Amino acid sequence: MAETLNPAQLAAVHHLKTPCLVLAGAGSGKTRVIVHKIARLLQAGLEPRQIAAITFTNKAAQEMRERARALVGPRAAKDLAVSTFHSLGVRMLRADGTKLGLKEQFSILDSDDVAGVLRDAGGSSDKALTKRWQWTISLWKNQGLDADGAERAAADDEERVAARVMRLYQERLSAFQAVDFDDLIGLPLALLERDAEARAKWQAQFRHILVDEVQDTNAVQYELLKALVGGEGVFTAVGDDDQSIYGWRGATIENLKRLPQDYPALKVIALEQNYRSTGHILRAANAVIAKNPKIFEKKLWSEFGDGEPVRVVECDGEEHEAERTVARIQSLRSAGAAPKFADFAVLYRANHQARVFEQKLRAAQIPYKVSGGQSYFDRAEIKDLCAWLRLLVNQDDDPAFLRAVTTPKRGIGHQTLASLGEFAAKWKSSLFEALFSPSLATALKGKAIDSLHEFGREVNELEHRARHTQGREDAKALLLGWLKDIGYEKHLYDGEDSEKLAAARWSNVLDFVDWIAKRCGGEITQDGGAPFESERQTVLQVAQTISVIISLAERGDEQDVVTLSTLHAAKGLEWPHVVLAGVNEGLLPFRSGDEDMTPERLEEERRLMYVGITRARTTLVVSTLRRRKKGRDTVAGVPSRFIAEMKLDEVVAKEDPRERLKKLRAELAAKAGLNLAA
């Protein structure tokens, strides 16, 4: 252990007796510290099941689990509780949710389902308005507010309407026996606050909790951590105040400020040695972030030497910027400095900036991916199948019922469903339960009832078989047989004008079937490696957690492609060669319309710039526009204040003009498709 850790990392790993905050600068090896601390806790006598490591994404949790497995062995790693906050919440609610009035098989609504329930609750078909309600209610929940608290907090008429909709929305969730993603944090906290027995149980369960990216926690996540560790609990929080960039979605940097106040014995250990970037890149990052007020002091350094100076490139406009970026990629590859397309990333502040880069990369026949684009699991065909699986888990899940009963179409029209809904509301039952009511004939005609009964029988039969089917091949056979029975492949081909597109959608379905089957067989696929064995599950058990899995899952396919990504989506990643695009006032820092830039907003935008700089390992180009598009207009581009804050003047002045000319010639030659070696 001592051979792989520097002194600060060792200090963090061996601090066991009081709460510890590991202030982990960018590229400082925080995951290495977490997994080594898990090993140290096991050496100190804790059982694997008594250790919880919590992070924010499935991908990060999977990486942590794999690295822990490599360090402590598969047997110990199998019982470690390594998960996201949301997955931990599901675990707690599945075990003790009945204490809050939830059924064991409650449903978890995804974003589309939530929007549907909100439209119903608010009596509006306006999608933009529904989206605002959804966003506002989520922020309120992340602040720990219920409908009463939201009404008190509402600042204007629009928010007061949203608070009333929130009350109706929560009533519907309760009736559906469903929760949304924010509830997966709020309800476990309510459980621990209200039920002493449950609180004692979970505090005894986890003797040491490690929380990654603590600067990204919202108010409710922080309170959940406090409730889990208790007054005398010991934990390790790992984070970086300089990388707090999610204030817009409820994360609060105030949590880092609260830690020393709530835990006076807190030990703060700073990790300042960077294992990623060269000296020039780190000095630029340190200079920018120095403008922000500090909660904890730290300064990144590395042993990699100065490397190439950070380059600032002025471009005429967005097209010119994309052309120069493409030429740079071609030049570095031709010169042998970057053998793979995957060595390159173009990072930007706003999604719309990707479009022109996509056009120029396609024209140059350079493969790329857009990070933060449509998820595989957001595709309509995958959502269709998930609706069926959710209905198997919770037959009170009305949103899942409505999607499943109409996909594929089976002659059950809107009028039939409207009558069924009125009948269910009258008798205070779920839509599925209403199917089999002896009184249903008073609301519907025989043919409609027959169609509904047939659907109900299909769901019940599938639920029975899913409950008793496990193992990869049996699960796959069950799912493929079910898809054939309901005619789903025909449904896809009938619904698409393009046979090629229909085939692609059916291929996605087959991938999804295989994805579920692997989990039923106890196979957890590692990115870039062979599967390892876990506990075999039934199809129904996989379905019970599938909403969380698919909503948080991130495709980790290793492909040799250039990455186009927003700065927010790039956090936690790194590339040898990075271009920061559109570093202009109004874009970075981002400003919408004539809104005032508050000091807090500016500080978060500066942290975003810092995150962008520290994604680069070997070279960094900062690109700024002389003219940029703003809506339909073209306006003069003003370089971002963050460029001056990088303090690059001395470095740029020292750059040899002959070397600069040589690089420009190489870029032009690459752009023209010339052989540089000739």
Side-chain angles (χ1 to χ4, degrees):
M1 188 181 295
E3 294 179 356
T4 62
L5 301 177
N6 65 41
Q9 291 172 331
L10 277 172
V13 166
H14 288 286
H15 186 86
L16 305 179
K17 294 185 178 179
T18 66
C20 179
L21 171 61
V22 181
L23 196 65
S28 62
K30 65 183 177 66
T31 305
R32 186 190 314 171
V33 168
I34 292 172
V35 297
H36 277 80
K37 187 147 193 179
I38 289 172
R40 180 69 185 90
L41 290 165
L42 293 173
Q43 290 175 358
L46 290 189
E47 296 293 326
R49 60 183 178 80
Q50 295 176 314
I51 301 171
I54 306 172
T55 186
F56 276 82
T57 66
N58 272 345
K59 185 175 182 180
Q62 181 173 317
E63 179 189 357
M64 197 176 294
R65 188 182 300 112
E66 291 168 3
R67 290 175 66 170
R69 181 176 181 270
L71 187 63
V72 306
R75 181 173 297 181
K78 182 175 180 292
D79 292 329
L80 293 170
V82 181
S83 72
T84 63
F85 268 103
H86 292 90
S87 295
L88 177 62
V90 173
R91 175 179 174 180
M92 295 174 69
L93 293 178
R94 294 290 183 209
D96 291 316
T98 53
K99 295 176 182 290
L100 298 173
L102 285 174
K103 294 180 181 179
E104 289 184 7
Q105 295 184 349
F106 59 86
S107 297
I108 302 165
L109 303 189
D110 66 13
S111 181
D112 286 349
D113 293 330
V114 168
V117 177
L118 281 172
R119 281 194 294 272
D120 176 61
S124 173
S125 59
D126 186 333
K127 291 184 178 180
L129 177 60
T130 303
K131 199 71 177 174
R132 291 199 298 274
W133 286 342
Q134 191 169 351
W135 186 254
T136 302
I137 290 170
S138 178
L139 287 177
W140 279 332
K141 287 191 175 188
N142 288 335
Q143 294 165 15
L145 300 178
D146 58 12
D148 290 336
E151 286 188 350
R152 291 191 294 269
D156 52 37
D157 288 343
E158 184 170 336
E159 288 194 355
R160 280 185 280 275
V161 171
R164 290 195 291 272
V165 172
M166 181 179 182
R167 186 179 301 280
L168 297 170
Y169 167 68
Q170 287 302 126
E171 289 174 358
R172 281 161 173 74
L173 290 190
S174 180
F176 296 159
Q177 281 290 303
V179 300
D180 60 27
F181 258 52
D182 298 315
D183 292 330
L184 295 179
I185 311 298
L187 290 179
L189 174 59
L191 172 71
L192 299 184
E193 289 178 339
R194 299 174 193 174
D195 193 291
E197 182 181 358
R199 182 167 61 250
K201 166 189 167 181
W202 287 101
Q203 288 178 354
Q205 170 70 51
F206 300 128
R207 296 282 301 282
H208 197 108
I209 296 179
L210 303 100
V211 181
D212 191 17
E213 306 284 16
V214 69
Q215 79 279 353
D216 293 335
T217 54
N218 59 42
V220 180
Q221 287 165 331
Y222 182 81
E223 291 300 327
L224 179 60
L225 171 63
K226 286 181 63 179
L228 282 169
V229 302
E232 302 299 324
V234 182
F235 63 86
T236 301
V238 181
D240 182 6
D241 51 334
D242 291 335
Q243 296 187 74
S244 178
I245 59 173
Y246 295 114
W248 52 275
R249 70 180 188 194
T252 172
I253 200 170
E254 294 299 314
N255 290 342
L256 277 173
K257 297 179 182 178
R258 288 180 58 185
L259 277 173
Q261 301 166 10
D262 292 339
Y263 299 94
L266 182 76
K267 176 72 171 178
V268 180
I269 300 172
L271 306 183
E272 297 176 297
Q273 183 173 357
N274 176 282
Y275 293 92
R276 176 186 298 160
S277 307
T278 60
H280 279 308
I281 292 169
L282 292 182
R283 281 194 288 276
N286 287 334
V288 165
I289 207 63
K291 294 289 185 179
N292 273 5
K294 292 291 184 182
I295 301 176
F296 304 101
E297 287 293 335
K298 74 173 187 310
K299 192 171 185 179
L300 296 180
W301 60 276
S302 81
E303 295 180 338
F304 292 153
D306 283 345
E308 290 193 24
V310 175
R311 291 181 58 195
V312 176
V313 174
E314 285 191 338
C315 303
D316 292 335
E318 287 86 354
E319 289 205 4
H320 184 218
E321 179 180 52
E323 289 168 355
R324 292 195 68 166
T325 298
V326 169
R328 176 172 175 78
I329 292 170
Q330 293 171 323
S331 173
L332 288 175
R333 279 178 50 79
S334 297
K340 298 188 298 182
F341 288 117
D343 291 336
F344 297 92
V346 182
L347 309 181
Y348 38 81
R349 177 63 177 84
N351 275 310
H352 70 82
Q353 292 174 262
R355 184 184 60 82
V356 67
F357 287 100
E358 289 189 74
Q359 291 174 344
K360 299 302 179 182
L361 287 167
R362 284 197 300 268
Q365 297 185 348
I366 294 176
Y368 68 90
K369 66 178 179 181
V370 181
S371 181
Q374 185 189 38
S375 164
Y376 172 82
F377 296 104
D378 284 336
R379 300 178 190 277
E381 58 270 23
I382 306 303
K383 284 183 174 290
D384 289 343
L385 307 191
C386 287
W388 280 80
L389 295 175
R390 282 168 40 203
L391 197 56
L392 303 188
V393 172
N394 176 14
Q395 294 182 346
D396 293 336
D397 187 340
D398 284 354
F401 174 93
L402 290 171
R403 186 160 192 153
V405 78
T406 55
T407 312
K409 295 186 183 301
R410 55 182 64 244
I412 299 175
H414 293 298
Q415 188 55 53
T416 296
L417 292 174
S419 298
L420 178 66
E422 291 172 4
F423 179 83
K426 177 180 178 181
W427 294 102
K428 297 182 179 179
S429 70
S430 69
L431 295 173
F432 190 86
E433 185 182 2
L435 292 187
F436 301 103
S437 170
S439 305
L440 186 59
T442 63
L444 289 168
K445 295 179 180 179
K447 186 177 180 181
I449 293 176
D450 290 343
S451 297
L452 289 169
H453 282 175
E454 181 184 353
F455 171 72
R457 284 191 295 271
E458 289 177 356
V459 172
N460 284 333
E461 181 182 351
L462 182 60
E463 190 274 340
H464 175 76
R465 295 175 64 195
R467 185 182 295 277
H468 297 95
T469 300
Q470 65 177 196
R472 179 173 180 172
E473 293 306 318
D474 288 345
K476 190 170 185 177
L478 168 63
L479 294 170
L480 290 176
W482 159 60
L483 290 171
K484 183 177 180 181
D485 289 343
I486 66 173
Y488 193 76
E489 183 178 9
K490 183 177 185 300
H491 159 75
L492 289 181
Y493 278 87
D494 288 347
E496 292 290 350
D497 294 331
S498 165
E499 186 171 322
K500 184 177 179 180
L501 181 56
R505 294 184 66 190
W506 178 243
S507 178
N508 289 335
V509 169
L510 296 179
D511 285 345
F512 187 52
V513 166
D514 196 49
W515 186 82
I516 296 172
K518 285 178 180 178
R519 280 152 181 79
C520 292
E523 301 170 45
I524 301 176
T525 303
Q526 304 178 51
D527 291 345
F532 63 83
E533 290 297 317
S534 181
E535 183 179 352
R536 285 158 60 98
Q537 301 180 73
T538 66
V539 174
L540 189 63
Q541 286 173 322
V542 174
Q544 285 176 341
T545 57
I546 205 163
S547 291
V548 174
I549 293 171
I550 65 171
S551 297
L552 294 178
E554 293 162 354
R555 304 275 287 176
D557 300 343
E558 289 295 330
Q559 298 173 303
D560 187 21
V561 297
V562 174
T563 297
L564 305 178
S565 174
T566 63
L567 288 164
H568 284 101
K571 187 171 176 292
L573 304 176
E574 61 183 75
W575 296 269
H577 306 286
V578 170
V579 174
L580 290 186
V583 186
N584 284 73
E585 290 293 314
L587 283 173
L588 184 63
F590 185 80
R591 185 171 180 173
S592 178
D594 298 325
E595 67 175 356
D596 293 331
M597 178 67 71
T598 65
E600 293 78 16
R601 275 282 317 281
L602 181 59
E603 288 167 14
E604 181 158 321
E605 292 290 308
R606 186 176 284 115
R607 293 194 291 269
L608 201 54
M609 179 71 175
Y610 173 84
V611 165
I613 294 170
T614 54
R615 298 313 93 197
R617 286 162 47 189
T618 307
T619 72
L620 174 65
V621 171
V622 178
S623 179
T624 185
L625 306 172
R626 296 187 185 95
R627 289 179 294 276
R628 70 181 185 89
K629 291 181 180 177
K630 188 176 182 181
R632 296 182 177 180
D633 299 325
T634 298
V635 298
V638 178
S640 169
R641 69 194 77 187
F642 299 149
I643 294 177
E645 292 176 2
M646 295 169 74
K647 298 184 177 179
L648 302 176
D649 294 347
E650 294 182 8
V651 175
V652 172
K654 290 180 181 178
E655 186 174 4
D656 188 338
R658 290 171 297 183
E659 287 298 314
R660 178 74 180 274
L661 182 60
K662 186 177 179 181
K663 290 176 183 176
L664 288 174
R665 283 175 174 166
E667 289 182 8
L668 289 171
K671 182 178 177 182
L674 299 177
N675 185 348
L676 296 180

